[in-house]
Amino acid sequence: MLVRTDFRDDAGWRALLGALPDPEPDGEPEDGEYGDHVDLDPVVVDDPAYADLQPGQVPALVPPGRSPDGHTTMVALADAEALADPARPLLVVDLYDTPGQVARVPLDEAGSMAANLEIANMDFADFV
């Protein structure tokens, strides 16, 4: 899940969304897509009700549990820093190992982080 928390930079938000990969039509990766890099394919939440949402508030709003794809392990926040920096570093909030713990992760690494957390290949602390 990718939650927009800054609503002052529409151009930065559009740029961040534009940096997300287009999902494969059949949901399957193309040959060679697996490896060290996995694209982030988030559920996007663009609602001013979450303006200035703080990482410590996230666990109460999105409790860990079962989703159709497994455990809800993390939520990525698109805050002012993520919208302003060309690397689009998302503020990622742990919902599984230590709910509320945060790490700043470049957009192009967030998909790999999500995949490794989902399959329990790595813990959130490994990324911190």
Side-chain angles (χ1 to χ4, degrees):
M1 182 178 298
L2 173 63
V3 180
R4 181 180 184 185
T5 65
D6 183 272
F7 289 83
R8 295 172 292 243
D9 185 355
D10 288 332
W13 175 244
R14 286 189 303 274
L16 188 148
L17 292 178
L20 292 173
D22 291 328
E24 295 300 318
D26 61 3
E28 294 295 322
E30 293 180 14
D31 289 340
E33 273 192 16
Y34 285 124
D36 292 340
H37 181 78
V38 177
D39 289 329
L40 183 65
D41 184 18
V43 172
V44 175
V45 178
D46 183 6
D47 184 338
Y50 298 105
D52 301 317
L53 177 71
Q54 298 301 305
Q57 297 171 302
V58 173
L61 295 174
V62 186
R66 297 294 294 176
S67 69
D69 299 309
H71 290 286
T72 303
T73 58
M74 66 177 242
V75 169
L77 303 180
D79 61 358
E81 185 174 339
L83 301 183
D85 187 322
R88 307 292 173 215
L90 302 173
L91 188 59
V92 179
V93 182
D94 182 14
L95 294 179
Y96 192 70
D97 293 323
T98 308
Q101 183 177 20
V102 297
R104 184 70 64 180
V105 179
L107 178 61
D108 64 351
E109 295 296 326
S112 295
M113 180 180 189
N116 278 289
L117 293 175
E118 289 286 328
I119 64 172
N121 185 48
M122 297 175 77
D123 295 325
F124 198 90
D126 294 327
F127 290 95
V128 174

